[in-house]
Amino acid sequence: MKSIFTNKNDVPTTDRLKIALGNTFELWKNVEEFTLANFPNAKVEWNFSSEKFGWSFRIKDSKRVLVYLLPRDNFFKTAFVFGQKATEKILESDIAESIKTELKAAKVYAEGRGIRIEVRDNGNFIDLQKLIKIKIMN
């Protein structure tokens, strides 16, 4: 599924993001603020990867992306890439089995295993916080 923002020449704004995400805008802000609170030196940026995917929002340190936020129509997805050490920590944790199952099933690339998690309500926010902390620590 493609980003709600697809025009390469039109960087998304906060106002347009609020409209696009609707009720999930506050959840987006919560993920962003939680990540920045736990890693104050992180940088945030919008990135247009291709026509196929559109715009995504990245929160990153100097070497890697900590979390991707992918805007959709009235919801968003978070995306993570976890190396082996972080994957092991997640599998040993109390994070939801559905997330662990997706992580185990993810194809392994040089940079790690990638997963995406839909955010339509705050039902998985505790797990997202745990994933962000594991990502920062590993």
Side-chain angles (χ1 to χ4, degrees):
M1 183 184 291
K2 192 187 273 198
S3 171
I4 192 85
F5 302 115
T6 57
N7 183 343
K8 182 179 183 175
N9 299 317
D10 194 8
V11 179
T13 64
T14 300
D15 288 339
R16 289 180 46 232
L17 184 64
K18 278 184 191 178
I19 293 166
L21 295 181
N23 293 335
T24 63
F25 176 75
E26 287 305 316
L27 297 170
W28 172 294
K29 294 305 294 177
N30 290 344
V31 171
E32 181 181 354
E33 290 166 5
F34 179 83
T35 306
L36 294 173
N38 282 275
F39 197 89
N41 294 328
K43 308 252 186 289
V44 297
E45 68 180 17
W46 282 101
N47 182 68
F48 189 87
S49 57
S50 70
E51 290 291 328
K52 181 177 177 183
F53 298 108
W55 286 96
S56 66
F57 188 78
R58 298 174 176 195
I59 305 173
K60 54 194 266 183
D61 66 14
S62 61
K63 299 177 190 170
R64 67 198 172 135
V65 175
L66 300 171
V67 60
Y68 299 84
L69 300 176
L70 313 170
R72 302 298 189 254
D73 189 8
N74 286 305
F75 74 101
F76 65 98
K77 291 184 177 190
T78 57
F80 299 90
V81 177
F82 295 107
Q84 187 58 37
K85 200 164 123 181
T87 297
E88 289 169 8
K89 292 242 189 254
I90 293 165
L91 296 178
E92 295 167 0
S93 76
D94 63 350
I95 288 171
E97 287 302 318
S98 59
I99 293 172
K100 292 179 186 179
T101 299
E102 185 176 344
L103 186 60
K104 285 189 265 188
K107 187 171 180 174
V108 180
Y109 294 96
E111 60 274 6
R113 298 170 188 252
I115 61 169
R116 292 181 181 178
I117 301 166
E118 270 192 20
V119 179
R120 293 181 182 269
D121 57 41
N122 65 359
N124 56 9
F125 189 67
I126 300 289
D127 283 335
L128 290 175
Q129 290 176 319
K130 292 175 185 176
L131 292 170
I132 289 164
K133 284 185 174 182
I134 289 171
K135 179 67 179 188
I136 290 169
M137 300 299 284
N138 294 282

